[in-house]
């Protein structure tokens, strides 16, 4: 009776809200899918009513952390900025800011009129690198032909474009990445993330977005300054320090989106697909009944994933909020450059922890359903961090046999030889 008639089923994505209609679905799988999926989803919603954190059902896993990470990842370089780097015809914001830092800001530092520490701790991205001078000059590209102006006049023109067309172009750039309906919703989306982690109004989202865009340009200006002074080693060192985290950010993917969600979708879809087979094996008697008990245990296992993920999401957000409180203090003054550097490390740490815990969710729920010692042992194996420290760097071997063929390094250093 359950597998003869067919019905129309509406499938809703719990994260995006997208609804897909499917005709001619057998009544049995439709009933099983509706009852079981709503059991896990509604339980999760009830959990999250008391959490007072961005919900996994409404926003996704670790949404606040991923929002802040997305802003940094998409504003790291000229390639990431794309058309946003040219908000006006003939403009080039990266070259303009890099020139200004190299020829104005760092000139003020050399003259002891500005300090590097003050620049790094200033929460106002534009004021941080400003240097007023009617003597020193720089070349900027803010529209039309390149213009050579004094540091004071150049800053006035840069500020107009930065606060106007450049800011709007950044919002347009981040609109699709953050998944908002309109460009005007970009800054409110970032503000919601900061409000959830640091408290309402503790950090200005517009300043964070602007500072995230200007920081790579500031770093490029520092490199140019060292090259002008022929400090090639310092320039290379800073370039490497910039490129390594940039590469790490570019390669970073959310483990939840890459593995956990597809795995959840596949196993849940598989359970619905084999529903007719499980109805057929009931005819095998006690063997079929045991198989169906195992089948419903698998369905219960799947529906426990989202409540467990909701608890993990709460833990990640609360832990990150505790770290954010330190970054908003006078020591770092987020969104200053120094504060953002520290925030980057915290974001990477808690997203990696969250990804590991999200990937271990099936093992946690499996341990609850089947109470297996093997499952528990496997889950505890995730907590073994292993040995990632190469102690031989600081304490090398007293003696080591040489290989038959030894390739020499490009650069070599010896503490006893200069």
């Amino acid at each position: 009776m359950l597998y003869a008639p067919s019905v129309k089923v509406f499938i809703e994505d719990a994260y995006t809200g997208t609804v897909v209609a499917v005709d001619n679905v057998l009544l049995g799988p439709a009933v099983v899918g509706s009852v079981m999926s709503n059991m896990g989803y509604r339980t999760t919603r009830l959990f999250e009513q008391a959490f007072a954190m961005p919900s996994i059902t409404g926003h996704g896993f670790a949404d606040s952390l991923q929002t802040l990470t997305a802003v940094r990842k998409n504003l790291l370089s000229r390639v990431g900025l794309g058309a946003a780097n040219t908000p006006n015809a003939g403009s080039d914001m990266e070259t303009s800011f890099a020139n200004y830092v190299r020829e104005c800001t760092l000139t003020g530092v050399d003259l002891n009129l500005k300090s590097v520490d003050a620049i790094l701790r200033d929460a106002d991205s534009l004021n941080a690198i400003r240097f007023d001078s009617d003597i020193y000059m720089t070349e900027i590209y803010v529209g039309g032909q390149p213009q050579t102006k004094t540091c004071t006049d150049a800053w006035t023109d840069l500020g107009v474009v930065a606060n106007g067309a450049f800011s709007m172009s950044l919002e347009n750039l981040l609109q699709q990445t953050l998944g908002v309906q309109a460009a005007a919703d970009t800054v409110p989306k970032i503000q919601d993330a900061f409000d959830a982690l640091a408290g309402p109004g503790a950090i200005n989202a517009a300043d964070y977005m602007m500072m995230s865009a200007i920081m790579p340009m500031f770093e490029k200006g520092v490199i140019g300054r060292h090259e002008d002074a022929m400090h090639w080693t310092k320039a290379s060192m800073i370039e490497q320090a910039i490129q390594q985290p940039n590469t790490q950010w570019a390669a970073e993917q959310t483990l939840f989106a890459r593995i956990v969600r597809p795995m959840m979708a596949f196993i849940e879809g598989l359970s619905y697909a084999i529903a007719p087979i499980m109805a057929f094996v009931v005819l095998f008697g006690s063997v079929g009944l045991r198989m169906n008990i195992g089948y419903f245990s698998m369905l219960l296992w799947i529906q426990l994933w989202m409540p467990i993920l909701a608890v993990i999401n709460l833990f990640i957000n609360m832990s990150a909020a505790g770290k954010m409180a330190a970054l908003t203090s006078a020591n770092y003054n987020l969104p200053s450059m120094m504060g953002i550097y520290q925030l980057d490390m915290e974001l990477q740490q808690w997203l990696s922890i969250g990804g590991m815990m999200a990937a271990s969710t099936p093992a946690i729920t499996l341990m609850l359903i089947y109470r297996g010692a093997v499952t528990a042992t496997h889950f505890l194996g995730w907590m073994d961090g292993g040995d990632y420290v190469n102690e031989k760097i600081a304490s090398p071997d007293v003696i080591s046999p040489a290989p038959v063929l030894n390739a020499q390094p490009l650069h070599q250093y010896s503490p006893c030889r200069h």
Side-chain angles (χ1 to χ4, degrees):
M1 291 174 61
L2 287 175
Y3 291 90
S6 61
V7 294
K8 187 175 185 178
V9 173
F10 295 93
I11 305 172
E12 180 181 357
D13 191 312
Y15 305 99
T16 63
T18 305
V19 177
V20 178
V22 182
D23 290 322
N24 302 318
V25 178
L26 296 178
L27 182 59
V31 171
V32 172
S34 178
V35 172
M36 296 305 296
S37 63
N38 275 285
M39 180 186 300
Y41 183 75
R42 293 182 186 278
T43 303
T44 307
R45 292 293 297 269
L46 290 173
F47 267 53
E48 293 179 331
Q49 285 181 6
F51 287 172
M53 286 284 180
S55 64
I56 186 175
T57 52
H59 299 84
F61 185 75
D63 177 69
S64 298
L65 300 180
Q66 293 189 50
T67 296
L68 302 181
T69 301
V71 174
R72 286 286 287 136
K73 287 173 63 175
N74 286 272
L75 302 179
L76 282 175
S77 64
R78 179 190 293 267
V79 175
L81 287 174
N85 189 54
T86 311
N88 300 324
S91 62
D92 187 337
M93 300 306 293
E94 184 187 66
T95 303
S96 298
F97 274 109
N99 284 349
Y100 189 90
V101 169
R102 183 174 76 245
E103 297 166 352
C104 295
T105 306
L106 296 181
T107 297
V109 172
D110 292 341
L111 296 175
N112 291 324
L113 299 176
K114 292 182 72 72
S115 70
V116 174
D117 188 69
I119 293 172
L120 294 178
R121 294 182 186 275
D122 196 330
D124 187 340
S125 56
L126 296 179
N127 185 68
I129 60 178
R130 177 177 180 175
F131 175 64
D132 290 324
S133 173
D134 294 329
I135 300 175
Y136 295 97
M137 308 187 75
T138 186
E139 186 178 52
I140 59 174
Y141 303 79
V142 292
Q145 296 297 319
Q147 305 173 32
T148 301
K149 294 191 172 185
T150 64
C151 292
T152 300
D153 293 339
W155 185 251
T156 300
D157 293 346
L158 274 176
V160 171
V161 178
N163 290 317
F166 184 54
S167 178
M168 294 177 60
S169 64
L170 293 178
E171 294 178 8
N172 291 327
L173 172 67
L174 295 173
Q175 175 188 351
Q176 184 175 1
T177 302
L178 300 183
V180 293
Q181 296 294 326
D185 298 328
T186 299
V187 173
K189 171 75 171 179
I190 304 172
Q191 190 65 59
D192 289 342
F194 275 123
D195 290 348
L197 295 174
I203 301 172
N204 188 289
D207 289 343
Y208 174 77
M209 181 181 69
M210 184 62 68
M211 183 67 87
S212 297
I214 291 180
M215 275 180 61
M217 304 174 188
F218 175 82
E219 293 166 341
K220 187 174 181 179
V222 173
I223 295 173
R225 182 73 174 191
H226 286 311
E227 290 176 345
D228 291 344
M230 292 184 291
H231 297 160
W232 309 115
T233 303
K234 291 182 179 179
S236 300
M237 178 180 63
I238 296 174
E239 179 69 23
Q240 176 177 314
I242 295 170
Q243 293 302 325
Q244 284 181 344
N246 287 2
T247 302
Q248 182 175 358
W249 278 108
E252 186 76 18
Q253 270 196 345
T254 305
L255 187 62
F256 178 74
R258 184 164 53 94
I259 295 178
V260 179
R261 280 195 63 186
M263 182 171 60
M264 289 173 63
F266 170 74
I267 296 179
E268 191 167 1
L270 175 65
S271 65
Y272 302 151
I274 64 175
I277 300 176
M278 302 312 297
F280 175 75
V281 298
V282 173
L283 302 176
F284 293 169
S286 60
V287 176
L289 289 176
R290 286 196 299 270
M291 291 181 65
N292 272 273
I293 292 173
Y295 170 68
F296 280 99
S297 297
M298 182 179 71
L299 293 178
L300 181 60
W301 170 52
I302 297 168
Q303 298 310 316
L304 280 174
W305 288 9
M306 284 197 68
I308 296 297
L309 282 170
V311 177
I312 295 174
N313 186 58
L314 172 67
F315 170 72
I316 294 300
N317 278 279
M318 291 180 64
S319 302
K323 296 294 184 181
M324 189 72 71
L327 298 181
T328 56
S329 66
N331 291 332
Y332 297 108
N333 201 21
L334 192 70
S336 66
M337 294 188 193
M338 185 172 292
I340 290 180
Y341 283 134
Q342 295 295 325
L343 177 62
D344 287 349
M345 291 187 287
E346 296 297 338
L347 289 175
Q348 291 182 38
Q349 175 183 350
W350 286 108
L351 281 175
S352 62
I353 293 173
M356 184 275 290
M357 297 180 71
S360 65
T361 297
I364 297 174
T365 53
L366 194 66
M367 182 173 60
L368 294 174
I369 296 296
Y370 294 102
R371 305 180 301 278
V374 175
T375 305
T377 303
H378 170 74
F379 170 65
L380 292 175
W382 282 74
M383 300 182 182
D384 183 11
D387 185 9
Y388 297 104
V389 178
N390 185 1
E391 61 276 0
K392 293 184 179 181
I393 295 177
S395 302
D397 295 331
V398 176
I399 185 171
S400 178
V404 177
L405 177 63
N406 188 13
Q408 293 295 319
L410 295 177
H411 302 283
Q412 189 169 347
Y413 163 77
S414 172
C416 301
R417 181 178 178 183
H418 298 281

